[in-house]
Amino acid sequence: MSEDTQGASMDRILQEISAVGRKLEGMDNAMTALTAETRSMCLEIAGFQSQISRLDHRVMAVESQVALKTDRDQELFYLRSKLTDLEDRSRRNNIRFLGFPEGTEGTDILSYLRDTLTKLADTTFKPPLEFQRAHILGLKTQNGKDSPRPIIACFLQHGQARQLL
């Protein structure tokens, strides 16, 4: 009996060892599947990292363009306000003269204005009247019967324009 008991024990031990072996095989298959799945996830993560890196570079490029645009907008605003200021300042020295007969200015409108305005104001200007520019507005009419065209003169010195007025 002892041999039968021993044989039965051995059979049971062999069956248990066989069951443990089958369980180990199942665990090994599961580990292989997990390893394959982990590798595939690693590849996906690497792809995502590459996409994120590319997107990060694109975002940085867009941010730098936005910063440049903001700087350009500020510079444009500054230049426009400066232009407006300069235009306003340049108009301050302009005086429009009306009623001078058409054609009396001849070819040198600046000399004509200097002489005529000094006579009309009945004063001497120190320094003499100086103009930056002068021109007649509008087109000359063919018949010459229309009202005379206005003359606009830009004085070099604002004080002379005020003194004349």
Side-chain angles (χ1 to χ4, degrees):
M1 212 164 207
S2 112
E3 266 184 45
D4 282 339
T5 322
Q6 242 181 359
S9 290
M10 286 291 244
D11 282 342
R12 217 177 28 217
I13 290 174
L14 282 174
Q15 286 175 353
E16 286 181 26
I17 289 174
S18 177
V20 167
R22 284 190 299 274
K23 286 182 182 178
L24 285 175
E25 261 183 47
M27 290 172 96
D28 185 44
N29 290 340
M31 286 296 284
T32 304
L34 280 174
T35 303
E37 193 173 329
T38 303
R39 283 189 183 135
S40 123
M41 286 183 181
C42 285
L43 289 174
E44 281 184 51
I45 289 172
F48 290 146
Q49 286 175 335
S50 174
Q51 286 178 344
I52 288 171
S53 177
R54 283 192 302 260
L55 289 173
D56 188 42
H57 289 301
R58 290 177 63 190
V59 165
M60 288 184 349
V62 168
E63 285 175 343
S64 67
Q65 288 176 352
V66 166
L68 284 174
K69 184 181 181 313
T70 303
D71 291 345
R72 286 183 191 144
D73 287 347
Q74 289 174 348
E75 184 180 5
L76 182 62
F77 176 76
Y78 170 74
L79 291 174
R80 282 184 178 163
S81 63
K82 191 172 182 179
L83 176 64
T84 301
D85 183 53
L86 289 172
E87 286 175 345
D88 289 346
R89 285 178 193 262
S90 70
R91 289 187 193 123
R92 287 182 195 160
N93 294 337
N94 286 353
I95 295 181
R96 183 166 48 172
F97 299 101
L98 302 171
F100 285 105
E102 193 70 42
T104 57
E105 72 278 352
T107 58
D108 187 9
I109 193 167
L110 295 176
S111 297
Y112 172 75
L113 282 176
R114 190 177 304 112
D115 297 339
T116 306
L117 294 176
T118 304
K119 288 177 192 173
L120 288 174
D122 197 26
T123 186
T124 57
F125 293 93
K126 301 242 184 211
L129 289 177
E130 294 180 290
F131 299 98
Q132 182 176 4
R133 64 185 174 276
H135 60 276
I136 300 175
L137 289 179
L139 298 173
K140 187 173 185 175
T141 58
Q142 294 295 329
N143 58 13
K145 294 179 182 176
D146 293 333
S147 61
R149 297 178 292 163
I151 297 173
I152 293 187
C154 179
F155 288 80
L156 280 177
Q157 298 179 15
H158 182 67
Q160 286 183 340
R162 292 184 70 145
Q163 184 181 0
L164 182 64
L165 289 175

